[in-house]
Amino acid sequence: MNEQANAPKGIAFNLESHIEYAAGAVVSKTLIKKEIGNITLFAFDQGQGLSEHTAPFDAVVHILDGKAEITIGGQLQTVNTGEMLIMPANISHALQATERFKMLLVMIRGE
């Protein structure tokens, strides 16, 4: 489920409560979508994930709730609430929810 909904501009809001979990699903909500990049919220129910893929640009993942198993270039790591990592461009990566989690994904297109 992908929901196009820009973030409220000029008003503070809580990222974690701005998206809800859905049973057996991955929910995404685009906060900003511009030619130069995107900012997207995700909520992964337990057992859900994103299969291995690559992206042409670095991407920043910030875990807002729960914990994610993220594999980058074949290396598995657990990323917990409050932690973030940078997924490097052109390196395969995948995400798996062994428990449900929410994350903010920031991708900026560039060199």
Side-chain angles (χ1 to χ4, degrees), residues 16-106:
E16 193 274 326
S17 62
H18 199 65
I19 192 166
E20 299 298 325
Y21 292 107
V26 176
V27 179
S28 67
K29 184 183 281 190
T30 301
L31 302 180
I32 297 175
K33 184 175 182 79
K34 302 281 185 181
E35 190 173 319
I36 61 166
N38 310 327
I39 300 176
T40 309
L41 279 172
F42 287 89
F44 292 78
D45 195 20
Q46 184 175 5
Q48 301 300 307
L50 296 177
S51 59
E52 188 174 38
H53 62 282
T54 61
F57 308 106
D58 290 344
V60 175
V61 172
H62 181 203
I63 304 301
L64 303 169
D65 181 46
K67 62 182 173 182
E69 285 191 345
I70 300 177
T71 303
I72 300 174
Q75 302 271 335
L76 176 66
Q77 59 187 308
T78 300
V79 186
N80 297 293
T81 300
E83 294 181 330
M84 64 176 272
L85 63 80
I86 299 171
M87 296 187 295
N90 303 311
I91 305 292
S92 64
H93 55 272
L95 293 86
Q96 184 65 37
T98 54
E99 66 179 56
R100 63 187 200 168
F101 73 92
K102 294 179 182 180
M103 73 176 196
L104 179 69
L105 175 69
V106 179

